[in-house]
Amino acid sequence: MSSALALFRAARVSGGAAVRRNMMSTKTAGARPLKTANVEAGEAFYKQHEDIRHHAAGASELWRKLSIYIIPPVLTVSTINAYILWNEHAEHVKHEPALEDKVEYSYQNIRTKNYPWGNGDQTIFWNPKVNYHKTD
């Protein structure tokens, strides 16, 4: 039981004297006296707070189980799948012609003006191992 809930229950038993005494001890000069606490409202608040804590504990347990038992196998299967696909792609790329021998179609590498970097013909993401532009 939390100390605030114990204070509210003690206030109900003593007619609110404990709460008034606690609240009046923080009174400053010239301030209005503080009102006594509404015990029912306080208990309802703490019951709602405990319900939220109970729900949060269940939700965090669910995510802990997911993180331990579901995520690692899914990541393992995904990694194996990506590795297999990468090897298939690498095998396919080996059979392609060299970059210089590839056909360059009219819709590829269209330049209306030079880029402001490099030699003006290469995009910012240019990779000489993958991209090729015939300059006839």
Side-chain angles (χ1 to χ4, degrees), residues 18-95:
V19 175
R20 278 194 298 276
R21 186 170 43 254
N22 188 21
M23 294 179 140
M24 295 303 277
S25 66
T26 60
K27 181 179 174 186
T28 58
R32 294 185 324 196
L34 298 173
K35 296 181 179 180
T36 58
N38 183 348
V39 176
E40 291 80 18
E43 286 180 355
F45 172 78
Y46 282 106
K47 182 184 180 318
Q48 180 185 12
H49 182 69
E50 288 299 318
D51 291 343
I52 291 171
R53 286 178 50 116
H54 177 71
H55 173 72
S60 63
E61 182 64 18
L62 169 73
W63 282 105
R64 186 185 74 80
K65 288 178 181 176
L66 285 173
S67 298
I68 292 172
Y69 301 115
I70 303 297
I71 304 284
V74 167
L75 286 176
T76 303
V77 169
S78 299
T79 302
I80 292 170
N81 182 42
Y83 179 76
I84 291 170
L85 291 175
W86 176 262
N87 286 338
E88 288 176 3
H89 177 69
E91 187 64 31
H92 172 74
V93 169
K94 286 180 186 176
H95 299 294

Side-chain angles (χ1 to χ4, degrees), residues 14 22 27 37 52 60 86 111 114-115 117 121:
S14 66
N22 188 21
K27 181 179 174 186
I52 291 171
S60 63
W86 176 262
R111 308 284 189 261
N114 288 338
Y115 292 112
W117 53 80
D121 187 42

